[in-house]
Amino acid sequence: MATREQRSQRRTDGLTRERIVETAVALLDSAGARGLTFKALTERLATGPGAIYWHVPNKDALLAAATEAVVSTALAAGTTAAAPREQVREVALGLFDAIDEHPWLAAQLTAELSRNPRGAVTPRIYDSFGRRVRALGVPESGWFTATSALVHYVLGAAGQNAANAVAADHEVDRDEFLDSVSNAWEALDPDDFPFARAVADQLRGHDDRRQFLDGLDFVLTGIAAGR
């Protein structure tokens, strides 16, 4: 008869780190970072907590692993286009879509870049954009600045888009949400908010993805001019 230790070892051997991370991503998608607990994970995986701790020491490590897995998949884009500028657009859209699909990802990426830049995620993102920046002909002295500008724009714009989508989902449909914002801006004092009033109508029905790409082109044009 197998001992308890042997049975536990079999469960540990049959449970891979990849499967744990995949399940963690699914939990994050459905319940957010607060819903990702080792209790919920053990229930989904039908295993004991010891089998999970064998592969992942704590929740922070699990969140980092889930973030890296999603980001790695997103950054696999940008390989179909021949021109470096188009590759940048593909990589940027890959991250934009990943953040849109996984609402928890924006906050995790912010945490990774600010609190854990020595981890795998930050250099992976910088390397993916940086190699394309280098191929654009940017002088070496400008690599870090140009790449940082791209990274900050992409993550900031994609994160804001995801936050807006969550807010709209909790209130009304997207068009009604944008109409309410546009109406509020149009009602602002024209002396205090001349620009906000002027662009208020542009909020209505705008295409988030198109706006994101147009903004990216502004950044890329600036990088090319600086070159």
Side-chain angles (χ1 to χ4, degrees), residues 27-56:
L27 266 173
L28 286 163
D29 288 346
S30 62
R34 290 185 179 181
L36 179 62
T37 65
F38 274 71
K39 180 181 178 181
L41 202 55
T42 56
E43 291 174 354
R44 287 264 185 122
L45 292 167
T47 188
I52 297 175
Y53 283 118
W54 179 272
H55 296 280
V56 186

